[in-house]
Amino acid sequence: MKYSKLFPKSQKIEFKEDLSVNAKYLVKGGFMNQLMAGSWTLLPLGFVVVEKIKNIVREELNKTGAQELLMPLLHPREIWDTTGRWSDPEVQKIMYQFKDIHDKEYGLSFTHEEIVMNLLGKFVQSYRDLPVMVYHFSTKFRNEPRAKSGILRAREFMMKDLYSAHVSEEDMYEYYNLVKEVYVKIFERIGLSVIVTEASGGVFTKNVTHEFQVLSDSGEDEIIYCPEGDFSQNVEIAKVKEGKQCDLGHGPLKRAKVIEVGNIFPLGTKYSKDQKVFYTDKDGSQKEIWFASYGIGPTRVMGALVEVHHDDKGIIWPKTVAPFQAHLLVVSSQKSVVRTADDIYTKLEASGVEVLYDDRDVSAGEKFATADLLGIPHRLVMSEKTGDKIEFKKRNEDKTELLQFDELIKRLKEETEG
Amino acid sequence: MKYSKLFPKSQKIEFKEDLSVNAKYLVKGGFMNQLMAGSWTLLPLGFVVVEKIKNIVREELNKTGAQELLMPLLHPREIWDTTGRWSDPEVQKIMYQFKDIHDKEYGLSFTHEEIVMNLLGKFVQSYRDLPVMVYHFSTKFRNEPRAKSGILRAREFMMKDLYSAHVSEEDMYEYYNLVKEVYVKIFERIGLSVIVTEASGGVFTKNVTHEFQVLSDSGEDEIIYCPEGDFSQNVEIAKVKEGKQCDLGHGPLKRAKVIEVGNIFPLGTKYSKDQKVFYTDKDGSQKEIWFASYGIGPTRVMGALVEVHHDDKGIIWPKTVAPFQAHLLVVSSQKSVVRTADDIYTKLEASGVEVLYDDRDVSAGEKFATADLLGIPHRLVMSEKTGDKIEFKKRNEDKTELLQFDELIKRLKEETEG
């Protein structure tokens, strides 16, 4: 894609507020734009990043046998009354609830447990119909008292929520533990190293749940964890203290700020009981369904990625989620150089390389600054000095190399697939 | 995918109400399920159909230079006040408007003109920044007084809305006319023959707009049109009458019921003026932006497809949007036959064929009925009689053929690509 055609371009903005790094870079770079506090438009660059995150999540969840669907966002009060959550003061703080002009009461989705259990009630009769694992990517609304930290804590955001229903606690935990492993793999592929952390279930469950936490000083959560990796608890539930030895005799426990990028909840039979959704077992008896839910917020993940992968010039996207693989810059106004660069751009596209081509009539300095800000993994420069070769540089390294076109294609392939 | 694993299976339901064909078949087949009046969950089968529709729309729009993004669904009243639409009684009938617990007023998206113009105001300064063409697939909410006809008139539904901004009326109409042609192509690819129809702009504009109408007795709109294809008007604005000659001397005009699957609005400069979003022209003067919007509802398109493509046994999906290309049925409980069918299923998947495998332990009659209901274009049967061959039949033909596996693959390739 030609940068001259992209909507919008990056902007020079001096932020007044003490904004988070992810908000600064994502807004300056034209990845997202604020509609109101806590509400963001994903601009074309940000949209692509989120789509790539979603596709990784989708691939890995499909491998577990989960199936994608799409549930409504506007919910009737009646279904939320079945579990009593409609009237829970903690829920009412964050759930948008309202009456329409016909006095019918609705809530906006902040999660979908009740809706999924209601759906299961229509289709699950016997043990043969279980397990069911379904997920969707959809909008969530949470009236956060303090919407801040850029896209990390928003009032409207995208969430992948997966729900699983099982015949027994054992079956539920088997799948729950599988998803726990799959989540670690998902985040690894996305470019985030996560610490699996024990936590409370908030308005979802009284059981111990697990959060997927990324170390970052901009995080709002805190954990007590063993850096050797066999223990981590959210400080909200931690009974051990910083400095103590870990149970397995590893180094002293540390306390750190973290960003929560995912969480999983072994909900048990509460929803089945409350909503009166049962299945018939082999012996003909009516039994409760074991239920669990699993969340990942792709927009929050994008914010977390920027918090973790950046320098003082801009973003450094992991190649798996970068909006483009190569950023081609022509830094000359000589017609012959521009013509050669145009050719290379055409040939890169024809070779299937995801390339952003900065074809604007602006200074070399501005183009280099934009490349650093946008954070595309591979920068390609063509100038009067490069001739028919292309200067290749990785966003996270200083070293430059001059490559022939064929070498470049080979190199990009290695870097992207490797 | 194995049908035994799919959530949910088709259901035998005797509908009490006089339901529309699309609702009956889509609900029976497990494509969608009703949460409340006018609100539907897209189940895994329906989700895939809608994704395929979306991908065709996306491909064709991207070719016009349009860029995909994603805008919020919850809108602050202030932006809707800039055009006065917040207080328009016609808008208030269908837009969900409410106050949150902090007394802030919000509306749920029933369209996005104001939000796009607000966004343009932040990025468009000069004529060099235009044109801008952006679109998204997102949820729309409309408090329809009569939500009926299955998924055709819903209160919550998916919509692709495209917006274009231009320096002049001429530029706007040039792109508008391009999209008009592209829409016809999109619907053709999806499997719908549309009649481009002049219509009023409702709460959007006073200009003449265009609707894309599909002939169907279950439609809620009516048009007066020339069957030879050079004239069509919505009866709401038509001044000519049924039976008259068409202006070009073609056969007499007809009146017919239709389903609206898309619409396009040349909005002009109203939004630019009302929202005070201008651009600086070459001569330094401030000018108004010419604006247009373009909608297609992928969920409604799915419903329209079923209305148009079905028989008394079920759906007949066009191959471009079918949830699978092949439906493999094993109609024997002999172990050797099942083993051969299992093998064929594995080989079909390995060959990249999108195949649904009915591996259930139910009668042949039930499997055939399910295949007819689900409407997958190619039915493959394996039984005691077929040996190591496969019986091939198209959903919309009666003829069956016995094919070797290699012949089958070749045939499916031809049918799917042709």
Side-chain angles (χ1 to χ4, degrees):
Chain A
M1 148 140 248
K2 288 187 178 174
Y3 194 57
S4 60
K5 301 281 184 197
L6 185 73
F7 174 80
K9 312 293 176 289
S10 66
Q11 291 191 311
K12 283 175 200 119
I13 311 171
E14 288 310 316
F15 294 100
K16 283 172 204 164
E17 311 159 65
D18 186 20
L19 259 191
S20 60
V21 172
N22 79 82
K24 268 186 208 166
Y25 284 156
L26 290 171
V27 170
K28 272 191 182 178
F31 291 82
M32 63 185 203
N33 181 265
Q34 186 168 297
L35 174 65
M36 58 181 166
S39 171
W40 299 87
T41 289
L42 285 180
L43 296 167
L45 277 185
F47 180 80
V48 175
V49 172
V50 171
E51 283 299 298
K52 291 196 171 184
I53 293 168
K54 282 168 64 181
N55 280 335
I56 290 171
V57 174
R58 186 175 274 142
E59 269 180 41
E60 296 297 334
L61 291 187
N62 288 352
K63 281 186 212 164
T64 73
Q67 297 174 45
E68 190 167 359
L69 43 63
L70 186 58
M71 289 174 276
L73 308 177
L74 195 58
H75 303 165
R77 170 177 177 157
E78 298 76 49
I79 295 183
W80 279 83
D81 273 337
T82 56
T83 58
R85 285 213 289 182
W86 178 275
S87 309
D88 178 339
E90 289 305 307
V91 168
Q92 291 195 327
K93 271 187 212 159
I94 57 164
M95 188 183 199
Y96 293 95
Q97 301 179 333
F98 63 94
K99 283 184 189 173
D100 77 352
I101 47 172
H102 312 295
D103 254 10
K104 182 162 169 52
E105 285 189 277
Y106 296 102
L108 289 179
S109 56
F110 81 93
T111 182
H112 274 83
E113 280 80 11
E114 279 82 350
I115 305 301
V116 173
M117 190 52 77
N118 180 268
L119 186 68
L120 292 174
K122 298 174 187 171
F123 295 106
V124 173
Q125 270 101 40
S126 95
Y127 67 95
R128 281 189 223 93
D129 300 321
L130 294 169
V132 171
M133 294 89 76
V134 290
Y135 69 98
H136 66 173
F137 291 94
S138 85
T139 307
K140 294 286 178 288
F141 304 90
R142 294 187 186 175
N143 202 349
E144 294 286 352
R146 334 153 277 146
K148 59 164 204 173
S149 305
I151 210 158
L152 294 182
R153 186 167 294 278
R155 295 204 171 106
E156 177 177 344
F157 56 98
M158 186 182 294
M159 180 136 146
K160 182 285 299 170
D161 31 333
L162 164 68
Y163 302 85
S164 73
H166 309 268
V167 291
S168 66
E169 182 171 19
E170 194 189 342
D171 276 18
M172 180 191 76
Y173 271 110
E174 195 182 319
Y175 188 71
Y176 182 88
N177 288 327
L178 172 65
V179 173
K180 205 198 289 177
E181 282 171 33
V182 168
Y183 265 36
V184 173
K185 188 174 172 200
I186 286 171
F187 289 117
E188 228 169 61
R189 284 185 63 187
I190 287 171
L192 289 173
S193 171
V194 291
I195 299 172
V196 183
T197 299
E198 289 179 12
S200 82
V203 297
F204 291 84
T205 178
K206 293 192 168 67
N207 294 335
V208 169
T209 70
H210 290 91
E211 296 171 340
F212 297 78
Q213 300 282 13
V214 174
L215 291 174
S216 168
D217 284 340
S218 59
E220 293 186 342
D221 282 9
E222 285 189 82
I223 59 172
I224 302 280
Y225 74 111
C226 167
E228 269 89 70
D230 46 18
F231 176 86
S232 179
Q233 287 185 334
N234 194 305
V235 289
E236 289 170 5
I237 66 155
K239 292 201 179 92
V240 290
K241 281 205 180 137
E242 199 180 349
K244 288 271 158 96
Q245 283 303 115
C246 139
D247 270 358
L248 295 178
H250 290 138
L253 297 175
K254 280 192 179 176
R255 186 179 175 117
K257 286 194 169 182
V258 286
I259 302 170
E260 184 191 332
V261 288
N263 47 24
I264 59 179
F265 303 96
L267 302 168
T269 56
K270 173 192 159 45
Y271 292 83
S272 165
K273 263 184 279 194
D274 286 354
Q275 299 189 250
K276 301 189 175 42
V277 176
F278 309 111
Y279 74 92
T280 307
D281 207 352
K282 286 175 194 172
D283 60 6
S285 64
Q286 291 271 86
K287 288 199 176 156
E288 290 157 2
I289 292 173
W290 288 81
F291 195 45
S293 68
Y294 316 81
I296 291 180
T299 40
R300 178 184 280 204
V301 166
M302 176 167 79
L305 278 166
V306 176
E307 292 293 335
V308 173
H309 300 292
H310 71 268
D311 60 18
D312 58 354
K313 292 176 185 158
I315 305 169
I316 305 171
W317 292 112
K319 62 194 174 189
T320 50
V321 297
F324 294 89
Q325 290 308 315
H327 196 157
L328 175 63
L329 280 52
V330 54
V331 296
S332 164
S333 45
Q334 270 192 24
K335 275 193 185 161
S336 64
V337 178
V338 173
R339 215 176 301 124
T340 315
D342 286 353
D343 276 357
I344 293 292
Y345 167 64
T346 309
K347 283 165 73 180
L348 283 166
E349 289 235 305
S351 307
V353 176
E354 295 173 354
V355 55
L356 182 66
Y357 177 28
D358 195 341
D359 59 334
R360 290 175 302 166
D361 188 18
V362 300
S363 73
E366 189 168 341
K367 288 191 182 183
F368 285 124
T370 302
D372 283 337
L373 174 61
L374 299 190
I376 293 166
H378 309 105
R379 191 187 76 186
L380 315 178
V381 175
M382 303 202 58
S383 68
E384 282 142 51
K385 281 181 282 179
T386 58
D388 60 351
K389 290 189 177 178
I390 303 111
E391 186 196 275
F392 174 93
K393 179 188 158 312
K394 291 201 212 175
R395 173 64 182 85
N396 59 351
E397 291 181 8
D398 287 327
K399 192 181 67 173
T400 60
E401 294 170 73
L402 267 184
L403 301 176
Q404 299 279 10
F405 181 77
D406 291 344
E407 292 169 337
L408 173 65
I409 291 290
K410 199 170 152 236
R411 185 61 178 278
L412 284 172
K413 214 163 193 169
E414 284 166 11
E415 295 287 349
T416 309
E417 288 168 7
Chain B
M1 149 141 244
K2 288 186 176 171
Y3 194 58
S4 59
K5 301 282 184 197
L6 185 72
F7 175 80
K9 311 295 177 289
S10 66
Q11 291 191 311
K12 284 176 200 118
I13 311 171
E14 288 311 314
F15 294 101
K16 283 174 204 164
E17 310 159 67
D18 186 20
L19 259 190
S20 61
V21 172
N22 80 84
K24 269 186 209 167
Y25 284 157
L26 290 172
V27 170
K28 273 191 182 178
F31 291 83
M32 63 184 203
N33 180 265
Q34 185 168 296
L35 175 65
M36 57 180 165
S39 172
W40 300 88
T41 289
L42 285 178
L43 296 167
L45 277 186
F47 181 80
V48 175
V49 172
V50 170
E51 282 300 297
K52 291 197 172 183
I53 293 168
K54 282 169 65 180
N55 281 335
I56 290 172
V57 173
R58 185 175 273 142
E59 269 180 42
E60 295 298 333
L61 292 186
N62 288 351
K63 282 186 210 162
T64 73
Q67 296 174 44
E68 190 167 358
L69 43 62
L70 186 59
M71 288 175 277
L73 307 179
L74 195 58
H75 303 166
R77 169 176 178 157
E78 298 77 48
I79 295 183
W80 279 82
D81 272 336
T82 56
T83 58
R85 286 213 286 182
W86 179 273
S87 308
D88 179 338
E90 290 304 307
V91 167
Q92 291 194 327
K93 270 186 215 160
I94 56 164
M95 188 182 198
Y96 293 95
Q97 301 179 334
F98 64 95
K99 283 184 188 175
D100 77 353
I101 47 173
H102 311 294
D103 254 10
K104 183 160 168 54
E105 285 188 277
Y106 296 102
L108 289 180
S109 56
F110 80 93
T111 182
H112 274 84
E113 281 79 11
E114 280 81 351
I115 304 302
V116 174
M117 190 52 77
N118 179 269
L119 186 67
L120 292 174
K122 298 175 186 171
F123 294 106
V124 173
Q125 269 100 41
S126 96
Y127 66 94
R128 280 189 224 93
D129 300 321
L130 294 170
V132 171
M133 293 89 76
V134 290
Y135 69 98
H136 67 173
F137 291 92
S138 85
T139 306
K140 295 285 178 288
F141 304 90
R142 294 188 187 174
N143 203 350
E144 295 285 352
R146 329 155 282 146
K148 57 164 206 173
S149 303
I151 211 156
L152 293 182
R153 184 166 297 281
R155 295 204 170 107
E156 176 175 346
F157 56 97
M158 185 180 294
M159 179 135 145
K160 182 286 299 170
D161 31 332
L162 164 69
Y163 301 85
S164 74
H166 308 269
V167 292
S168 66
E169 183 171 19
E170 193 189 344
D171 276 18
M172 180 191 76
Y173 271 110
E174 195 182 317
Y175 188 72
Y176 182 87
N177 288 325
L178 172 65
V179 173
K180 206 198 288 177
E181 283 170 32
V182 167
Y183 265 36
V184 174
K185 189 175 173 196
I186 286 171
F187 289 118
E188 229 168 61
R189 284 186 63 187
I190 288 172
L192 290 173
S193 172
V194 292
I195 299 172
V196 183
T197 300
E198 290 180 11
S200 82
V203 297
F204 291 84
T205 178
K206 293 192 169 64
N207 293 337
V208 170
T209 70
H210 290 91
E211 296 171 341
F212 297 78
Q213 300 281 13
V214 175
L215 291 174
S216 168
D217 284 341
S218 59
E220 293 186 342
D221 282 8
E222 285 189 81
I223 59 170
I224 301 282
Y225 75 112
C226 167
E228 267 89 69
D230 45 19
F231 176 86
S232 179
Q233 286 185 334
N234 193 304
V235 290
E236 288 172 5
I237 65 156
K239 292 199 180 90
V240 289
K241 281 204 181 140
E242 200 180 349
K244 288 270 159 101
Q245 283 301 116
C246 139
D247 270 0
L248 294 178
H250 290 137
L253 297 175
K254 281 193 179 175
R255 186 179 175 117
K257 286 195 169 183
V258 286
I259 302 170
E260 184 191 332
V261 288
N263 48 21
I264 59 179
F265 302 96
L267 302 168
T269 57
K270 173 194 158 44
Y271 292 84
S272 164
K273 264 185 278 196
D274 285 354
Q275 299 189 251
K276 299 191 174 46
V277 176
F278 308 112
Y279 75 92
T280 307
D281 207 351
K282 286 175 194 171
D283 61 5
S285 64
Q286 291 271 86
K287 289 199 174 154
E288 291 156 1
I289 292 173
W290 288 81
F291 194 45
S293 67
Y294 317 80
I296 291 180
T299 40
R300 178 185 280 205
V301 166
M302 177 168 77
L305 278 167
V306 176
E307 291 294 335
V308 173
H309 300 292
H310 71 267
D311 59 18
D312 58 353
K313 293 176 184 159
I315 306 169
I316 304 171
W317 291 113
K319 60 193 175 189
T320 50
V321 299
F324 293 89
Q325 291 308 315
H327 196 157
L328 175 63
L329 279 53
V330 54
V331 295
S332 164
S333 46
Q334 270 192 24
K335 275 194 186 160
S336 63
V337 178
V338 174
R339 214 177 301 123
T340 314
D342 286 352
D343 275 357
I344 293 292
Y345 167 64
T346 310
K347 284 164 74 180
L348 283 166
E349 288 236 305
S351 307
V353 176
E354 295 173 354
V355 56
L356 182 66
Y357 177 28
D358 195 341
D359 59 333
R360 291 175 301 166
D361 189 17
V362 300
S363 72
E366 190 169 341
K367 289 192 182 181
F368 285 124
T370 302
D372 283 336
L373 174 62
L374 299 190
I376 293 166
H378 309 103
R379 192 188 74 186
L380 316 176
V381 175
M382 302 200 63
S383 68
E384 282 142 51
K385 282 181 281 180
T386 58
D388 60 351
K389 292 189 177 177
I390 304 110
E391 185 196 274
F392 174 91
K393 178 187 156 321
K394 291 203 212 176
R395 173 65 180 86
N396 58 352
E397 292 180 8
D398 288 328
K399 193 181 68 176
T400 60
E401 296 169 72
L402 266 184
L403 301 177
Q404 299 278 10
F405 181 77
D406 291 344
E407 291 169 337
L408 173 66
I409 291 290
K410 199 171 152 238
R411 185 63 179 277
L412 284 172
K413 216 166 192 164
E414 283 166 11
E415 294 289 348
T416 311
E417 288 169 5

